[in-house]
Amino acid sequence: MRAATSTRPADAGNGVGAAVDTHCPYCALQCGMTLSPAGRASVRVRPRDPSAGGLCQKGWTAAALLGSPARLTTPLVRDGGTLRPASWDEALGLVARRIKEIAAERGPDAVAVFGGGGLTNEKAYLIGKFARVALGTSQVDYNGRFCMSSAAAAAHRAFGLDRGLPFPLADLEGADAVLLAGANPAETMPPFLSHLRRAMDAGGLIVVDPRRTPTAERAALHLAPAPGTDLALALGILHAAVADGRLDHAYVAGRTTGFEEAWRVAAAWWPERVERVTGVAAADQRRAAAILSEAASAYVLTARGAEQHATGVDTVGAWINLALALGLPGRLGSGWGCLTGQGNGQGGREHGQKADQLPGYRRIDDPAARAHVARVWGVEPSTLPGPGRSAFELLDALGTSGGPSALLVFGSNPVVSAPQSARVADRLAALDLLVVADIVLSETARAADVVLPITQWAEEDGTLTNLEGRVLLRRRALTPPPGVRTDLEVLHDLAVRLGQPPERFPTDPETVFTELRAASEGGPADYSGVTWDRLRAGERLQWPVPRQPGHPGTPRLFLDRFAHPDGRARFAAVDHRGPAEPPDEEFPLYAITGRVLQHYQSGAQTRRVEELRAAVPEAYVEVHPDTARRAGLRDGAAAAVVGRRGRVLATVRCVPSMRPDVVFLPFHFPGAQRANLVTNPALDPVSRMPEFKVCAVRLSPAGEREAQ
Ligand code: SF4
């Protein structure tokens, strides 16, 4: 057992003088951990917990941030170009006054809100309510749009409902075969691999990734398509499965619709043609189809590598088509699922901080949903705004003549995490008011007019919903430092200053959750039967959980029927379109982006943990040695990765397993090392997710000017 850096004493005021069972603050696996009285993180061994009794390096060191000297403990207000300390009263008074002025002058949509997929369910819920009721704005969205919206849209289209894994995580332990499309859990969520042990031992792990990642190293079959061609690869494997007689005719006839239309497209993608487009051998495509179809228990799982494209919804749809053709979804011991990324990536997209949604995964343009939620909120349905701009479109519109001129940011760092980040920084600079609530002075907070210091994970109660749709109670374990407030308190204080009745914006998380339950009741993500008492008692509840005494939740969706009115899943007739920005003479390489084991998202937290920062202190670019040599670079050299929208500075890492036409950039680093300086904001037409995963670049030695 290891321990992380000690922090403050545990919160005796919470009745937890002893160790407190809680969950890691980072990814969607939400590994269980125990914070000891000394504030030390240590593993809580829970054999049936998603963590399987393990934590990755990020989890082990998570407590270090609780005592970080980088922690903000007083509000900051911009004065004469610099941020100076201010009282809460001054800071909130300034924010409320400016919001009123801007809204009075330009209308309610001139004020926008940007949330995050790591925020608790209660915060996501109250942010959506604050935007629609206290501000009256339609301009609210969140960074989950950058992470999981394509899988969500594809799942809705195919199954009529989106829940990351529509089955318990533990079901994967019985799998003989698992295809991971665009997932690298060996680095992003290492304890997850323990669930794939049987598939790995059986030679049934297939990994689709242009890079030979640590996950691909463990696979029996690694398929490395050219970036942006995984949709074609999925069509090729589907074609091989059908041509080799592996189609599950009874399942397709009894539980699905649309196969003929989907097959008309896939029929044109025979494996040899797909090999020419993707670079994946036809024999390997056939082998993948054989491994999946011959396994007694098989799963297809997708993640950001499949999603973060201008064709992300269709790419995920193509993988779902393959799973449907083999008869996997909605069958015990088999299925399709999405590996959600952010800590509350699932719950964060269910409770109303997304531009087109209301709580309970309801649509904001559905009159019945508007009436239900308005009743819970005590307002007229007609006062609720309609759908607003999606995340990048919202950021891109800031400070323009038709766009918002004020922005409130909670739990997000778009200066680093948004595509074409230099443009996003320019848009933020054009605002009349930028307010950032954060635990540290992130790159976005540095640009703010007002910075509000808030509590972090171990200092507050809240619920999150993990990648299998299970609602988890994250307990307050430590007393927050003096001077910080919770996001709920910030929303309450601002709402009251904007004229709302205080009781409409509670600050107690359990009270907010109780209201969330009512708002979600009857919706697709129905939490009405989840109570904190049940969670405190250790019940494992996966939504939907209707308000019925003792309802056990719904561990497995779709066993009897899918969520479309006819109960059938839908094939999607999707075709390969390729990346929005293919390489050319000027920019001959594909740049792909992703995460490393030691860092999380924009790195605002993990770059401030010494052990993690020391392990990976700066950006690097992985490149094949021949590609580096052609660019006049060697291992360890300072390189510029240059694209149409900007240039990224990074240290060269020569990796012989890289495709010679690809470079890889981790996206956790700030300033001139931001991978998102080059990424392409081309959006998927349905999910509005940007094409983070692929853009065209060239590689060159960093000039002396850039290297400084
Ligand atoms: S980052 Fe994810 S995998 Fe690592 S300990 Fe935290 S929840 Fe677990």
Side-chain angles (χ1 to χ4, degrees):
M1 185 174 287
R2 289 175 53 197
T5 312
S6 67
T7 65
R8 281 160 284 116
D11 185 7
N14 196 34
V16 287
V20 176
D21 290 339
T22 183
H23 294 271
C24 173
Y26 298 118
C27 85
L29 197 55
Q30 283 297 295
C31 297
M33 63 165 61
T34 298
L35 279 179
S36 76
R40 290 172 173 268
S42 59
V43 172
R44 175 192 186 192
V45 178
R46 289 186 293 193
R48 301 293 294 169
D49 190 87
S51 69
L55 295 170
C56 76
Q57 195 177 1
K58 294 185 289 292
W60 282 116
T61 56
L65 199 60
L66 293 164
S68 169
R71 189 70 189 280
L72 291 173
T73 55
T74 184
L76 303 173
V77 168
R78 191 165 296 281
D79 196 352
T82 58
L83 289 168
R84 63 159 172 82
S87 69
W88 274 98
D89 193 49
E90 180 190 0
L92 292 174
L94 172 64
V95 173
R97 179 170 56 78
R98 292 294 293 129
I99 286 175
K100 283 182 195 168
E101 290 169 356
I102 291 167
E105 188 184 325
R106 303 198 44 226
D109 276 358
V111 182
V113 185
F114 198 84
L119 298 171
T120 62
N121 289 322
E122 295 76 21
K123 295 178 183 184
Y125 171 80
L126 213 63
I127 283 173
K129 181 180 178 183
F130 175 82
R132 274 68 178 243
V133 175
L135 298 175
T137 183
S138 66
Q139 301 298 295
V140 54
D141 212 68
Y142 80 125
N143 66 17
R145 187 77 77 160
F146 297 160
C147 294
M148 291 137 313
S149 55
S150 287
H156 271 293
R157 186 167 70 186
F159 308 121
L161 187 64
D162 154 53
R163 195 182 84 189
L165 299 182
F167 46 79
L169 183 61
D171 280 8
L172 292 170
E173 291 164 15
D176 301 306
V178 175
L179 183 148
L180 292 175
N184 181 18
E187 291 197 90
T188 56
M189 50 174 69
F192 174 82
L193 286 183
S194 66
H195 298 283
L196 306 187
R197 200 164 288 137
R198 179 182 167 114
M200 288 190 278
D201 291 347
L205 181 63
I206 305 165
V207 172
V208 177
D209 199 309
R211 280 198 309 150
R212 192 157 182 82
T213 62
T215 308
E217 290 282 354
R218 291 165 166 83
L221 183 59
H222 173 208
L223 309 177
T229 66
D230 20 359
L231 200 164
L233 179 60
L235 291 169
I237 299 174
L238 173 61
H239 185 111
V242 175
D244 293 347
R246 303 183 186 282
L247 182 69
D248 187 332
H249 290 277
Y251 175 96
V252 169
R255 299 207 59 187
T256 73
T257 63
F259 172 74
E260 291 305 326
E261 292 79 0
W263 174 245
R264 263 198 288 279
V265 180
W269 287 98
W270 56 95
E272 285 73 14
R273 181 186 176 204
V274 170
E275 178 175 340
R276 289 195 291 277
V277 171
T278 65
V280 175
D284 284 344
Q285 298 170 49
R286 295 192 172 95
R287 193 174 153 215
I291 289 172
L292 287 172
S293 74
E294 290 169 11
S297 167
Y299 292 84
V300 174
L301 304 177
T302 59
R304 307 300 84 70
E307 289 184 60
Q308 290 178 326
H309 296 280
T311 57
V313 176
D314 283 355
T315 301
V316 176
W319 291 113
I320 292 175
N321 282 352
L322 174 65
L324 289 171
L326 299 175
L328 307 183
R331 185 173 269 178
L332 192 62
S334 296
W336 169 86
C338 158
L339 297 182
T340 303
Q342 295 192 73
N344 197 28
Q346 185 65 48
R349 67 181 184 250
E350 296 166 357
H351 297 300
Q353 63 176 333
K354 192 160 175 269
D356 53 1
Q357 283 179 359
L358 289 172
Y361 228 150
R362 291 180 154 97
R363 292 181 61 95
I364 201 166
D365 57 3
D366 173 0
R370 293 170 65 85
H372 173 85
V373 173
R375 197 162 46 246
V376 173
W377 288 352
V379 299
E380 285 299 316
S382 60
T383 64
L384 297 179
R389 293 178 172 91
S390 72
F392 181 76
E393 291 163 301
L394 174 58
L395 295 171
D396 197 41
L398 297 174
T400 62
S401 61
S405 47
L407 178 70
L408 281 63
V409 179
F410 295 88
S412 191
N413 187 15
V415 166
V416 176
S417 61
Q420 199 176 4
S421 49
R423 173 166 173 79
V424 169
D426 287 346
R427 300 307 343 131
L428 292 173
L431 287 168
D432 292 334
L433 176 68
L434 174 61
V435 181
V436 176
D438 210 326
I439 59 173
V440 295
L441 199 61
S442 71
E443 289 70 23
T444 304
R446 284 180 199 283
D449 300 296
V450 180
V451 181
L452 303 173
I454 54 158
T455 48
Q456 54 177 313
W457 60 290
E459 299 163 352
E460 55 189 12
D461 287 329
T463 64
L464 298 97
T465 305
N466 76 354
L467 75 175
E468 56 180 348
R470 186 157 65 96
V471 187
L472 307 170
L473 182 58
R474 202 161 69 187
R475 304 276 308 280
R476 170 170 154 156
L478 302 170
T479 303
V484 305
R485 295 187 182 180
T486 69
D487 287 305
L488 299 182
E489 289 169 338
V490 168
L491 292 165
H492 169 92
D493 287 347
L494 284 176
V496 171
R497 287 169 193 263
L498 293 170
Q500 291 293 312
E503 65 277 9
R504 188 174 274 167
F505 289 89
T507 58
D508 170 52
E510 187 171 356
T511 305
V512 176
F513 187 80
T514 300
E515 188 182 305
L516 178 159
R517 291 170 54 205
S520 74
E521 188 163 9
D526 187 341
Y527 282 43
S528 59
V530 183
T531 67
W532 277 31
D533 280 343
R534 296 185 72 179
L535 298 176
R536 284 189 194 101
E539 287 197 61
R540 301 168 57 81
L541 298 170
Q542 287 167 268
W543 68 256
V545 190
R547 196 188 295 268
Q548 295 163 12
H551 191 288
T554 315
R556 295 177 185 84
L557 297 165
F558 313 139
L559 288 184
D560 301 322
R561 65 192 312 280
F562 294 99
H564 285 301
D566 62 2
R568 290 169 176 263
R570 307 269 190 272
F571 279 89
V574 294
D575 205 350
H576 170 64
R577 300 196 288 281
E581 185 181 68
D584 57 17
E585 238 174 64
E586 191 181 1
F587 301 105
L589 301 170
Y590 296 103
I592 59 176
T593 63
R595 288 171 49 189
V596 303
L597 189 149
Q598 287 84 3
H599 290 294
Y600 178 71
Q601 303 302 77
S602 78
Q605 294 151 284
T606 51
R607 283 187 276 112
R608 291 172 169 86
V609 175
E610 180 52 32
E611 181 177 324
L612 303 178
R613 199 192 62 77
V616 187
E618 60 175 12
Y620 58 84
V621 54
E622 284 187 4
V623 55
H624 190 280
D626 292 345
T627 309
R629 201 163 34 246
R630 274 197 296 276
L633 292 161
R634 54 178 170 69
D635 198 58
V641 181
V642 184
R644 287 190 173 80
R645 290 160 292 280
R647 57 201 293 133
V648 184
L649 298 183
T651 303
V652 172
R653 279 192 190 178
C654 287
V655 178
S657 64
M658 285 291 287
R659 290 176 58 111
D661 56 352
V662 173
V663 302
F664 168 77
L665 287 164
F667 63 77
H668 313 288
F669 301 95
Q673 299 188 340
R674 274 175 294 172
N676 282 317
L677 288 167
V678 295
T679 50
N680 188 355
L683 301 179
D684 182 281
V686 177
S687 69
R688 317 306 286 166
M689 179 184 273
E691 184 148 277
F692 286 104
K693 277 296 177 209
V694 55
C695 65
V697 298
R698 65 171 179 266
L699 194 60
S700 65
E704 283 184 8
R705 180 177 59 81
E706 293 96 341
Q708 287 168 356

